[in-house]
Amino acid sequence: MLVALSLGSLGVASASALPGDELYAIKRGLEEVRLGLNLDPATEAALLGDLADERLLEVESLAAQGRNEDLLQGLEEYTAAVERLAGAVEVPSAQGADEVLDKLTRHIAVLEQVQTHVPEAAQEAIERVIERSIDAETEGRPPSDTTLEEGCPGEPDCGDRHDRDRRIHMANQIAHIYDVSPEEALAVFEGECTQDWKCVRSYFRAQGSGNPHRP
């Protein structure tokens, strides 16, 4: 009984802890206990979604408080949560795969907002997290009729296949998130944005396309 009460007290005390706080390790440990005690895959998928939301809130709080060193740890924690959540796309859940993927898309919108309010070093870290979130967001989605095909069939030299496929992959993802065509995204990337995906996202936001999932 005393152990249960102690754990309950620690849970309450650590609930608002952020990366860099003394109680944060306890908070994360209790979360892992909850995951470990869960035996239902569908419930686990929902819990992973809740934890990814919590990691994102921590990133927002750290950025708002100007705790830039701790923000880097928070971004690492968030990336790990996204990796786990992406795996939940394959698990039948009460939320459903579409809701999991839409959650990731909303997260990208929040990260873009945070990115505009932090120093350059943190911006670069957030950029990497956004790209991983974009990857996770689209991994579980079936290709649409407008999706560009990857690969270089019929070409004698495919030495640049990886770079070409990466560009097409990102163009398809950007197209989904900002409701434009992959060809438009790729044209902006290779044209005025001189192969900078952050610039491409900023371009479509400025054009009014925006992220329709922005909170």
Side-chain angles (χ1 to χ4, degrees):
M1 178 66 74
L2 289 176
V3 173
L5 288 174
S6 297
L7 288 175
S9 298
L10 284 173
V12 172
S14 65
S16 60
L18 300 173
D21 293 345
E22 291 184 2
L23 293 177
Y24 188 70
I26 294 174
K27 174 181 179 178
R28 292 289 293 109
L30 292 174
E31 290 174 349
E32 292 302 316
V33 169
R34 288 173 60 198
L35 279 170
L37 293 175
N38 179 73
L39 299 177
D40 176 37
T43 304
E44 180 180 15
L47 180 55
L48 288 172
D50 291 341
L51 294 181
D53 287 341
E54 180 65 20
R55 299 291 83 81
L56 184 63
L57 288 172
E58 291 168 359
V59 167
E60 289 185 274
S61 296
L62 291 169
Q65 295 175 27
R67 294 171 54 178
N68 296 318
E69 291 187 6
D70 294 328
L71 176 60
L72 298 179
Q73 180 189 347
L75 290 169
E76 291 178 1
E77 294 278 356
Y78 173 74
T79 302
V82 165
E83 296 281 356
R84 298 173 80 175
L85 180 58
V89 172
E90 305 299 326
V91 179
S93 70
Q95 291 182 306
D98 285 343
E99 187 166 345
V100 171
L101 294 169
D102 287 342
K103 179 189 292 288
L104 288 170
T105 305
R106 292 193 297 271
H107 283 198
I108 292 166
V110 173
L111 288 168
E112 287 176 333
Q113 290 178 314
V114 172
Q115 191 178 36
T116 63
H117 300 293
V118 297
E120 185 174 351
Q123 289 182 23
E124 294 174 357
I126 291 175
E127 182 67 16
R128 292 190 293 272
V129 173
I130 288 174
E131 290 193 6
R132 178 60 196 110
S133 297
I134 290 175
D135 283 340
E137 190 275 338
T138 56
E139 280 173 358
R141 293 190 186 274
S144 68
D145 293 338
T146 59
T147 298
L148 296 175
E149 293 185 4
E150 298 177 19
C152 47
E155 297 180 15
D157 182 8
C158 285
D160 295 329
R161 178 192 295 268
H162 177 75
D163 289 341
R164 179 181 182 277
D165 285 357
R166 177 63 179 169
R167 289 196 300 272
I168 292 174
H169 183 58
M170 288 295 293
N172 287 327
Q173 295 164 334
I174 294 289
H176 169 74
I177 292 170
Y178 294 99
D179 196 25
V180 297
S181 73
E183 290 81 3
E184 287 179 279
L186 196 57
V188 173
F189 172 73
E190 294 179 341
E192 59 192 88
C193 278
T194 60
Q195 301 190 2
D196 181 350
W197 288 115
K198 178 182 176 182
C199 169
V200 175
R201 293 197 307 276
S202 297
Y203 173 88
F204 286 118
R205 286 200 302 273
Q207 291 295 312
S209 300
N211 186 330
H213 305 272
R214 185 179 298 281

